[in-house]
Amino acid sequence: MLEGKLVAPWAAELRRECREAAADLRGRELTIELRNVTCISEDGENVLLELMKEGVRFRASGVFTKHVMKQLARKIRRNVKEPKK
C-alpha cells in the first residue's frame, strides 16, 4: 500500500522496493494499492510508468490518483500503437 506523496526520493524507494518484492513473488503478480496519495511528481509518474510496463498492477482510490493512473495507461497504449521509428 502506498500513501502520501510520491516524490523524490520516495519514487526511487518505490522502484527499489518493487524490484525486491518482485524477486520473491515466485510467479505471482505484484499489486500496489494507491490510497490517499496526495501528490505525484514527474519522478513519481515515471516510476509508476516503468512499473506498469514491467507488469506491476495498481489499484487506485481517489479522483486524483485514478486520473493519473488512467493518463499513464493511455501513454502506454499510445506507445504500443505507434510504429517504431
Side-chain angles (χ1 to χ4, degrees):
M1 183 181 315
L2 181 66
E3 296 180 304
K5 297 179 180 181
L6 184 55
V7 297
W10 308 120
E13 180 70 16
L14 175 62
R15 179 187 298 118
R16 200 170 23 259
E17 291 296 323
C18 285
R19 296 226 167 104
E20 285 182 26
D24 296 330
L25 289 177
R26 297 184 194 121
R28 293 175 293 168
E29 190 174 76
L30 178 60
T31 301
I32 298 173
E33 185 174 341
L34 302 170
R35 181 187 295 174
N36 298 323
V37 175
T38 57
C39 177
I40 301 174
S41 69
E42 186 176 345
D43 287 337
E45 285 188 15
N46 290 337
V47 169
L48 292 173
L49 196 57
E50 285 177 30
L51 294 173
M52 289 172 84
K53 288 178 181 177
E54 292 172 10
V56 174
R57 306 276 299 179
F58 292 91
R59 287 191 316 201
S61 62
V63 175
F64 167 70
T65 309
K66 286 180 180 180
H67 173 73
V68 170
M69 297 308 291
K70 284 180 183 179
Q71 294 292 82
L72 294 175
R74 284 187 191 120
K75 222 182 239 192
I76 290 173
R77 284 193 304 269
R78 275 195 308 261
N79 288 339
V80 169
K81 290 179 183 178
E82 291 179 6
K84 295 184 180 182
K85 298 177 183 178

